[in-house]
Amino acid sequence: MPTIAYSSPFVPAEWIASHGFEPRRLRGPNAPIDGPIDSRVGLCPYMRSFINEAGTLCDLAGIVFTTTCDQMRRAADIVDNLPCFTMNVPATWQNASSQELYIAELKRLGVFLETAGAKRPTETELVRTMLKYDEQRKTLRAARGWNDSVSSDQTRLALVGGPISGHDAVLFKTIERYGGRIELDGSETGERTLAAPFNRRRLRDNPLLELADAYFGTIPDAFRRPNSELYRWLATEIGQRSIEGVILIRYLWCDLWHAEAGRIREWLDVPMLDLELNAEDPVARLETKVQAFLEALR
C-alpha cells in the first residue's frame, strides 16, 4: 500500500487512510541516517532526520508538511526530489473562519492524495475509518502510565515540549536509571497530541467537521494563539498525577519552545529542567543534567 509520511499531529491519519493510503507518522530513526539533507543545509536536526527517513520508504507516495513551525516550512522548500504537500494550519483557532480554513486545507490535501493515485472516500468510508482510529486511541489512553512497574518511591516527572525522535527516546531509560518515573508524556509525540474522542452523533452528521474539531479544535500546542489550552491541559494532568518535576524537551533551533520555556518555568509550581536535544549527538551529554535535576528534587 502506498505510504504518506508526515510528522505533525495536526495531520489526521484517518483522512489519509480513508483515501486508501497508509499514514506513517515518522519521528526520526533510532540512529542518524544519510540522505539528501545533510547538516550543511541549515535545517533543524529533527526535520532533517524526518526527511531522510521518509526518503528510505520504498512505497512513499508523498510527504505532508504543515505550517506549525518555521523549520517545517523550510523543509518543504528544500525537498524537491519527492512529492510534497504543505498544509496550512492556522495559529489562531477560536473562530469559525479558522476552522473553515483548516477544513479547506483537508480538502486540498485530499486533492493532492487523489493526484498521487488515491480514491476519494465516501462519507461511509470516512466514518468507518474514523471509528477505527478512535478505538485505537481509546486503547492508547487506557494504557497510559506504561511505567507503572517502576518503584513508587521514584520521582514522578512530566515531559512537555516538542517531538522525541527515535534516537532520543533513550531519554526515557536515562530518567529511569537516575530515579525518575515518567507519569506524563506531554511531548509532541506523546499523549498531549492525541486527537479528542469523536462525538458519535456529530460524527455521522458531518464526519469532516467532527474530524477537524477533534484535531484542530482540541490538540493543545505552543504554536497556537492563544495557547492557553496548553497550560490548561498541563494544569489538569500535572495535578491529577502528582507531578514533582517537569522536563521541557526542545530541539536545537526550535524557537517556538525556546521562547515558551521562560513562561512555563514561571507558571509551574514544580521545578523544571530545560533540556535541549538535537537527534544526532550521543545521549551521554544529557545524563549529567538529568542526574543533577533528579538529585535536586529528592
Side-chain angles (χ1 to χ4, degrees), residues 124-245:
T124 299
E125 289 171 332
L126 177 57
V127 169
R128 183 169 58 247
T129 305
M130 289 172 64
L131 289 173
K132 173 185 173 182
Y133 277 78
D134 199 41
E135 285 300 315
Q136 292 175 350
R137 284 191 290 268
K138 182 179 179 181
T139 301
L140 285 175
R141 288 189 176 92
R144 68 185 185 181
W146 61 271
N147 220 8
D148 285 345
S149 61
V150 181
S151 172
S152 61
D153 63 354
Q154 291 192 292
T155 305
R156 303 166 69 93
L157 299 175
L159 295 180
V160 64
I164 299 178
S165 72
H167 178 257
D168 286 322
V170 71
L171 174 64
F172 288 89
K173 291 186 177 180
T174 300
I175 290 170
E176 181 179 330
R177 184 163 59 252
Y178 290 109
R181 173 176 176 169
I182 300 300
E183 290 289 339
L184 173 64
D185 184 357
S187 68
E188 186 175 303
T189 43
E191 61 187 274
R192 172 175 60 82
T193 58
L194 289 175
F198 295 130
N199 180 298
R200 300 304 170 98
R201 180 185 60 78
R202 295 200 305 260
L203 169 63
R204 299 187 187 281
D205 290 342
N206 192 330
L208 191 56
L209 179 62
E210 181 62 16
L211 184 66
D213 190 58
Y215 280 84
F216 179 70
T218 306
I219 297 175
D221 199 86
F223 96 97
R224 318 210 72 177
R225 294 294 177 267
N227 61 18
S228 53
E229 288 302 306
L230 171 63
Y231 289 87
R232 187 172 291 111
W233 182 86
L234 282 173
T236 299
E237 299 297 331
I238 287 175
Q240 288 180 349
R241 307 193 200 188
S242 302
I243 298 299
E244 301 172 75

